[in-house]
């Protein structure tokens, strides 16, 4: 068959061919196919040729074809310049794959090692980059040119059908307001929760369904939404599970470990805990102090550097805890069984021996590998009840006695003391919400917390004493910019804050202690919290401002945090705690690998990012559960506290329950409200009514959307009338376009395009038509 015959075969009188049709033509053409040959084959003329030129350029940028204008070829390798997606962080290096991979065979896409570049910020899993690529003897290398915006952000939603039977994707992310037309529905059906991706580069392009998740309101679906949205790895590769099962057979002998099985060590944990990282013991030293042991699961013995287990643990960075499930960092055979410290069972542990003097200071420490056999696994509530009843066993009385000394030293240190309530969602066996409440803070929690802090400090100092690598937990003091904003805010409240003084946690504590009014105290506490920096992991010490400590590392939770595992490995090296080589198919050595030592910056950046990802996913899921819990109480009035103020309205949270919701300024009546950014408040121009951060007030729940986690409140005595924009700025072109008429979509209506609000968003009120509200007069 001649090339012309093949071209006739591909003639498409309907117009511009798809990318797939172009690829098929290039692949089957006997001669090189340029733009002219492609246009002729598909019968393109005039404007269609111009559109073809743009499509060919896009295909070249995506790596589907080479970029030669005279004759295009389908790419079988990686283009010199193309878009890559970061798929993993391994051994401190980012690994990427071509975002659009369409090779001639079913081979897997090539993996490229992304070299560090000062041109772009540190990349994380899921990021998109434009890179210059080269093939070397070691494989493909990518040199980043720039970071690209995410293509799939917010593309999780509910399939909805409009009046014409066309499918739309209604997002479940409360930050995303637009529905998107679905170009490829696949096997998804109306009402199902799906994961989708855009079919083009435009933010308005159609999307295709890539995964069907199922019923969005089914029990335990909310955590699945967060897992998919945030890209959290939750299925262990087969090779990872296989290595975990081999590790179970590692021998455990007192011949090479300190035998602590006769010591009554106990683990105090939540009642529903499945993994037990830590256990504690103490006894008086006869001089007013205590000797203590903090026994931590010896995860480094089972998870060896360079193995499949290690790579997967590093990729995950940490376990993620949802009300209905745990996404563990390690396979359950290790996390919930072999590594978990359990009552009456021999377990491998890393033992931190410390001496607490009569002033509560840690005067001595040493680390050993040990065998422990816990005397008890006890819940916080049970331990507290036993202590309160006055009939606690000696081992608990000793723990409380040692803790009182640690607490004494803590008070002298004066760390940041903010009362931050933690919401707890309780589900029944069917996954249905039974209760949402604020978790009670007991002395039992403080006992364990202060023992863990002592062990973490000891680990950091022990490694510093050997000049060994340390993965520090760093919390820097507030930046000057944040302190300036804090000072400006306090000035609006009639309070002074001098920047020339030494900034310490105690400074904030004293400020809060002097405030007797609960509403005012909550307001200032919110401001203090906003002034703080975010903690992170790093190999260079900058202290921990919040805890008022000079050196701090995470050592006590290696089952659920990769940072702690790295600290354990460093201790193995520094104090020569290596165990004999096992006769099992596992990597040798349980200390830090050479690659770990040289790549700590990259590794700590990566695990800091996975920690933030987990926090966001957990918070999103709690918000959805709270919204689901409240969905049956719409119309009720609640005691709330304002947590944030913007020009378009204010956010409030229900006291003793949580659940942040918006009160749009458009619902506050016909009065104009100005926004005082420095004071973080809205002020009514006629009445002087103020809504400020920290204020307590009664609000009526207007909407509760379980799919997005969004709540909407109203002031009970407001007339709810909407107001028009004011000010001398004209509406944007986008706003003017929207005023031409309602947009067609699942909610019905006339005109073109998707609705600005969707069923999945609960028809949330938008403040866009009053976006000039709150601007001060000049």
């Amino acid at each position: 068959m001649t090339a012309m015959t093949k071209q006739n075969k591909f003639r498409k009188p309907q117009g511009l061919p798809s990318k797939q049709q172009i690829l098929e033509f290039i692949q089957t053409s006997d001669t090189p196919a340029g733009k002219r040959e492609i246009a002729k084959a598909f019968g393109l003329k005039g404007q269609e040729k111009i559109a073809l030129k743009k499509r060919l350029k896009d295909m070249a940028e995506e790596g589907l074809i080479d970029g030669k204008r005279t004759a295009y070829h389908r790419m079988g390798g990686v283009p010199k310049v193309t878009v890559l997606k970061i798929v993993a962080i391994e051994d401190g290096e980012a690994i990427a794959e071509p975002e659009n991979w369409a090779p001639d065979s079913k081979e897997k896409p090539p993996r490229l090692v992304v070299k560090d570049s000062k041109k772009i910020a540190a990349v994380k899993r899921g990021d998109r980059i434009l890179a210059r690529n080269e093939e070397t003897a070691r494989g493909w290398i990518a040199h980043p040119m720039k970071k690209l915006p995410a293509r799939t952000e917010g593309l999780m939603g509910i399939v909805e059908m409009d009046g014409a039977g066309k499918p739309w994707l209604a997002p479940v992310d409360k930050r995303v307001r637009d529905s998107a037309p679905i170009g490829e529905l696949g096997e998804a059906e109306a009402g199902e929760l799906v994961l989708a991706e855009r079919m083009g580069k435009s933010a308005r392009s159609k999307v295709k369904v890539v995964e069907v998740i199922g019923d969005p309101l089914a029990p335990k679906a909310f955590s699945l939404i967060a897992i998919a949205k945030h890209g959290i790895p939750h299925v262990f590769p087969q090779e990872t599970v296989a290595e975990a099962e081999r590790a179970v057979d590692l021998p455990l002998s007192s011949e090479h470990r300190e035998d602590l099985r006769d010591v009554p060590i106990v683990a105090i944990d939540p009642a529903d805990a499945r993994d037990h990282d830590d256990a504690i013991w103490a006894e008086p030293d006869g001089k007013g102090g205590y000797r203590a042991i903090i026994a931590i699961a010896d995860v480094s013995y089972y998870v060896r550097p360079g193995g499949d287990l290690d790579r997967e643990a590093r990729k995950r960075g940490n376990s993620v805890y949802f009300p209905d499930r745990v996404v563990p960092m390690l396979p359950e055979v290790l996390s919930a069984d072999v590594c978990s410290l359990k009552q009456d069972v021999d377990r491998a542990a890393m033992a931190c021996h410390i001496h607490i003097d009569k002033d509560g200071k840690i005067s001595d420490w040493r680390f050993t590998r040990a065998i422990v056999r816990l005397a008890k696994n006890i819940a916080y509530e049970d331990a507290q009840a036993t202590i309160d009843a006055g009939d606690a066993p000696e081992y608990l009385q000793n723990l409380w006695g040692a803790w009182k000394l640690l607490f004494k030293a803590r008070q002298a240190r004066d760390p940041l003391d903010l009362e931050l309530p933690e919401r707890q969602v309780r589900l029944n066996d069917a996954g249905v919400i039974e209760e949402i409440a604020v978790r009670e803070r007991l002395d039992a929690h403080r006992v364990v917390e202060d023992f863990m802090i002592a062990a973490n400090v000891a680990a950091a100092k022990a490694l510093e004493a050997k000049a060994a690598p340390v993965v520090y937990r760093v919390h820097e003091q507030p930046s000057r910019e944040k302190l300036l904003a804090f000072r400006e805010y306090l000035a609006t409240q009639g309070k002074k804050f001098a920047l020339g003084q030494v900034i310490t946690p105690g400074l904030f504590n004293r400020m809060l202690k002097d405030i007797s009014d609960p509403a005012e105290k909550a307001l200032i506490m919110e401001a203090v919290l906003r002034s703080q920096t975010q903690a992170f992991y790093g190999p260079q010490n900058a202290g921990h401002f919040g805890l008022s400590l000079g050196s701090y590392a995470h050592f006590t939770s290696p089952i659920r945090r990769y940072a702690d595992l790295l600290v354990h490995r460093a201790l193995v090296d520094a104090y020569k705690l290596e165990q004999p080589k096992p006769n099992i198919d596992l990597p040798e050595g349980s200390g830090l690998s050479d690659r770990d030592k040289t790549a700590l910056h990259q590794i700590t950046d990566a695990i800091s990012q996975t920690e933030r990802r987990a926090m966001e996913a957990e918070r999103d899921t709690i918000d959805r559960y709270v919204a689901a819990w409240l969905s049956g109480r719409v119309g009720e009035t609640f005691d709330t506290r304002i947590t944030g103020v913007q020009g378009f309205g204010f956010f409030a949270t229900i006291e003793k329950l949580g659940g942040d919701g918006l009160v749009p300024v458009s619902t506050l009546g016909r009065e104009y409200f100005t926004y005082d950014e420095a004071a973080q408040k809205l002020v009514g121009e006629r009445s002087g009514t103020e809504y400020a951060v920290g204020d307590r007030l009664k609000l009526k729940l207007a909407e509760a959307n379980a799919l997005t986690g969004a709540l909407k409140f109203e002031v009970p005595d407001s007339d709810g009338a909407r107001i028009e924009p004011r000010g001398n700025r004209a509406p944007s072109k986008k706003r003017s376009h929207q005023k031409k008429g309602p947009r067609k979509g699942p909610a019905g209506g006339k005109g073109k395009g998707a609705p600005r609000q969707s069923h999945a968003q609960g028809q949330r009120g938008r403040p866009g038509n009053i976006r000039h509200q709150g601007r001060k007069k000049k």
Side-chain angles (χ1 to χ4, degrees):
M1 184 182 292
T2 64
M4 185 59 67
T5 304
K6 289 181 179 178
Q7 289 172 4
N8 289 336
K9 175 183 176 182
F10 284 94
R11 189 177 296 279
K12 301 291 182 182
Q14 71 270 23
L16 186 68
S18 67
K19 293 179 182 179
Q20 186 59 39
Q21 289 170 332
I22 293 172
L23 290 173
E24 289 175 0
F25 174 76
I26 293 172
Q27 185 180 18
T28 56
S29 178
D30 291 336
T31 60
K35 186 180 71 172
R36 180 181 300 176
E37 287 76 21
I38 297 171
K40 189 173 182 180
F42 289 91
L44 306 183
K45 297 179 181 179
Q47 291 297 319
E48 291 176 335
K49 288 185 177 181
I50 297 175
L52 174 66
K53 180 179 179 181
K54 183 179 183 303
R55 177 154 293 181
L56 292 171
K57 182 180 179 182
D58 289 344
M59 292 174 69
E61 288 179 355
E62 293 172 10
L64 300 177
I65 58 176
D66 64 23
K68 297 179 181 179
R69 296 185 178 182
T70 54
Y72 294 98
H73 296 84
R74 186 167 181 168
M75 297 300 296
V78 181
K80 288 184 178 180
V81 176
T82 192
V83 177
L84 304 175
K85 184 174 182 179
I86 308 301
V87 296
I89 305 294
E90 297 179 357
D91 298 325
E93 292 182 322
I95 307 298
E97 293 178 357
E99 186 175 61
N100 294 285
W101 178 246
D104 297 329
S105 65
K106 294 183 179 180
E107 62 183 292
K108 293 182 179 180
R111 291 165 69 87
L112 298 88
V113 176
V114 181
K115 288 299 182 183
D116 291 336
S117 173
K118 295 180 180 179
K119 294 182 180 180
I120 65 172
V123 295
K124 61 182 183 298
R125 187 178 181 273
D127 281 350
R128 300 172 67 238
I129 60 172
L130 182 67
R132 178 175 55 81
N133 311 305
E134 64 172 329
E135 191 171 15
T136 68
R138 295 181 57 192
W140 283 96
I141 303 295
H143 301 277
M145 298 167 65
K146 65 178 180 179
K147 189 178 289 188
L148 302 175
R151 285 182 64 179
T152 58
E153 184 177 1
L155 294 185
M156 170 176 281
I158 311 299
V159 176
E160 295 184 348
M161 299 293 179
D162 65 14
K166 294 182 180 179
W168 294 82
L169 183 74
V172 295
D173 188 341
K174 57 188 173 185
R175 296 170 297 180
V176 180
R177 296 187 179 276
D178 291 341
S179 291
I182 298 177
E184 295 183 16
L185 186 60
E187 298 180 357
E189 298 179 358
E192 288 188 314
L193 178 68
V194 299
L195 192 63
E197 63 182 26
R198 296 205 180 276
M199 300 172 68
K201 293 185 176 180
S202 169
R204 298 192 177 200
S205 61
K206 291 183 178 182
V207 302
K208 66 177 179 179
V209 174
V210 296
E211 182 182 349
V212 178
I213 298 174
D215 182 358
L217 293 177
K220 304 185 178 182
F222 296 148
S223 57
L224 287 176
I225 293 175
I227 288 167
K229 174 188 169 184
H230 293 280
I232 296 172
H234 65 290
V235 177
F236 285 102
Q238 187 175 354
E239 56 270 21
T240 301
V241 175
E243 184 177 324
E245 290 173 346
R246 293 196 300 273
V248 168
D249 296 327
L250 281 169
L252 189 57
S253 168
S254 61
E255 183 179 353
H256 302 286
R257 289 179 177 271
E258 183 180 17
D259 194 338
L260 298 176
R261 286 175 287 189
D262 292 333
V263 179
I265 303 176
V266 297
I268 306 176
D269 288 298
D272 58 353
R274 296 182 62 191
D275 49 52
H276 305 275
D277 290 277
D278 55 83
I280 49 181
W281 167 87
E283 70 174 7
D285 65 356
K287 301 177 182 179
Y290 282 83
R291 290 184 292 273
I293 298 173
I294 300 97
I296 307 299
D298 189 2
V299 176
S300 64
Y301 182 56
Y302 297 96
V303 182
R304 305 301 181 97
D308 292 313
L309 260 175
D310 184 49
R311 279 191 290 271
E312 184 67 17
R314 184 174 300 183
K315 181 172 73 174
R316 295 178 178 227
N318 43 257
S319 298
V320 188
Y321 293 84
F322 299 109
D324 59 354
R325 76 185 72 224
V326 176
V327 179
M329 185 179 77
L330 303 173
E332 286 200 14
V333 67
L334 294 180
S335 62
D337 189 8
V338 175
C339 289
S340 190
L341 304 182
K342 296 184 177 182
Q343 181 177 334
D344 299 328
V345 180
D346 288 359
R347 286 289 185 256
M350 185 77 76
C352 171
H353 298 255
I354 61 174
H355 180 255
I356 306 167
D357 68 19
K358 59 183 177 59
D359 296 317
K361 295 181 181 179
I362 309 303
S363 59
D364 190 23
W365 56 79
R366 66 184 177 91
F367 290 85
T368 65
R369 268 181 155 158
I371 296 181
V372 297
R373 183 181 294 163
L374 265 58
K376 191 83 170 176
N377 284 99
I378 183 169
Y380 285 115
E381 294 80 5
D382 294 338
Q384 189 67 55
T386 305
I387 288 290
D388 292 344
D391 57 357
E394 185 179 14
Y395 58 78
L396 279 185
Q397 293 180 33
N398 286 340
L399 288 177
W400 256 251
W403 167 65
K404 288 177 181 177
L405 296 181
L406 291 174
F407 186 68
K408 179 180 177 182
R410 182 189 183 101
Q411 288 180 306
R413 229 175 45 239
D414 204 9
L416 194 61
D417 186 16
L418 298 178
E419 300 169 10
L420 302 174
E422 180 186 355
R423 289 176 290 173
Q424 184 179 23
V425 178
R426 297 190 181 97
L427 307 175
N428 62 22
D429 293 338
V432 178
I433 306 168
E434 285 188 337
E435 181 186 15
I436 297 179
V438 174
R439 192 185 298 271
E440 186 180 6
R441 179 83 166 151
L442 304 171
D443 279 349
H445 293 98
R446 297 181 177 92
V447 169
V448 175
E449 180 180 295
D450 282 337
F451 269 94
M452 297 306 111
I453 289 173
N456 288 335
V457 171
K461 291 186 176 295
L463 290 172
E464 289 172 344
K466 294 287 188 177
V470 185
V471 174
Y472 290 100
R473 181 61 169 177
V474 179
H475 182 225
E476 298 173 329
Q477 75 172 35
S479 66
R480 180 173 177 79
E481 291 76 16
K482 288 199 171 189
L483 291 174
L484 281 169
F486 181 67
R487 183 180 68 174
E488 290 176 6
Y489 173 73
L490 288 183
T492 67
Q493 306 300 312
K495 298 181 182 296
K496 294 182 179 181
F497 183 78
L499 290 182
Q501 60 189 319
V502 177
I503 305 300
T504 64
L507 183 66
F508 294 110
N509 291 340
R510 289 189 294 275
M511 182 183 300
L512 293 169
K513 190 175 182 180
D514 292 338
I515 302 172
S516 57
D517 180 62
E520 183 183 3
K521 188 171 186 177
L523 187 149
I524 302 301
M525 192 178 297
E526 291 283 350
V528 171
L529 186 60
R530 289 196 303 271
S531 73
Q532 301 303 302
T533 60
Q534 188 170 38
F536 61 92
Y537 295 107
Q540 304 205 326
N541 191 18
H544 197 293
F545 178 81
L547 290 174
S548 196
L549 291 168
S551 297
Y552 194 64
H554 273 168
F555 160 77
T556 56
S557 295
I559 290 177
R560 62 185 181 90
R561 290 189 306 225
Y562 194 79
D564 303 54
L565 177 55
L566 291 171
V567 170
H568 279 233
R569 289 174 177 170
L571 288 166
V572 168
D573 287 339
Y575 288 90
K576 297 180 172 51
L577 302 178
E578 188 59 81
Q579 297 286 287
K581 178 183 175 181
N583 295 320
I584 296 173
D585 183 18
L586 292 173
E588 291 186 28
S590 56
L592 282 176
S593 68
D594 291 338
R595 197 168 187 177
D596 285 344
K597 295 173 185 176
T598 58
L600 273 186
H601 270 293
Q602 295 96 318
I603 297 171
T604 52
D605 284 348
I607 59 180
S608 295
Q609 289 164 359
T610 61
E611 178 190 43
R612 294 184 195 113
R613 177 181 69 186
M615 290 171 61
E616 290 175 9
E618 290 168 359
R619 184 173 60 246
D620 286 354
T621 303
I622 294 291
D623 286 346
R624 287 186 171 90
Y625 272 110
V626 169
W629 177 246
L630 292 171
S631 60
R633 303 179 67 182
V634 170
E636 291 186 28
T637 300
F638 294 88
D639 292 331
T640 71
R641 183 169 57 85
I642 296 178
T643 56
V645 179
Q646 294 292 331
F648 53 76
F650 61 86
F651 294 91
T653 187
I654 298 174
E655 291 193 313
K656 299 181 180 179
L657 176 65
D660 287 319
L662 173 67
V663 180
V665 71
S666 58
T667 66
L668 297 179
R670 297 185 178 279
E671 181 177 16
Y672 292 117
F673 280 79
T674 57
Y675 172 44
D676 186 339
E677 185 175 2
Q680 289 289 292
K681 65 183 178 181
L682 288 167
V683 183
E685 290 188 345
R686 186 180 66 250
S687 66
T689 300
E690 294 186 358
Y691 297 102
V693 170
D695 285 355
R696 286 178 164 83
L697 67 163
K698 291 186 180 294
L699 293 176
K700 182 174 70 175
L701 181 63
E703 295 175 12
N705 190 327
L707 294 179
T708 64
L711 303 177
K712 182 181 174 183
F713 296 112
E714 292 177 354
V715 177
D717 57 357
S718 169
D719 61 13
R722 301 184 71 82
I723 57 177
E724 297 302 318
R726 68 191 185 92
N728 54 14
R729 284 202 314 177
S732 66
K733 293 181 179 179
K734 183 176 181 181
R735 182 71 57 201
S736 298
H737 171 73
Q738 292 167 0
K739 287 183 178 180
K740 291 181 180 179
R743 303 173 68 186
K744 186 177 179 182
K750 300 177 181 179
K752 297 180 179 180
R756 294 295 292 179
Q757 299 168 345
S758 65
H759 292 303
Q761 291 172 294
Q763 301 297 327
R764 291 181 290 119
R766 298 183 70 249
N769 66 333
I770 50 163
R771 60 196 179 99
H772 302 300
Q773 184 69 20
R775 290 187 175 274
K776 293 182 179 179
K777 293 181 179 179
K778 294 187 178 181

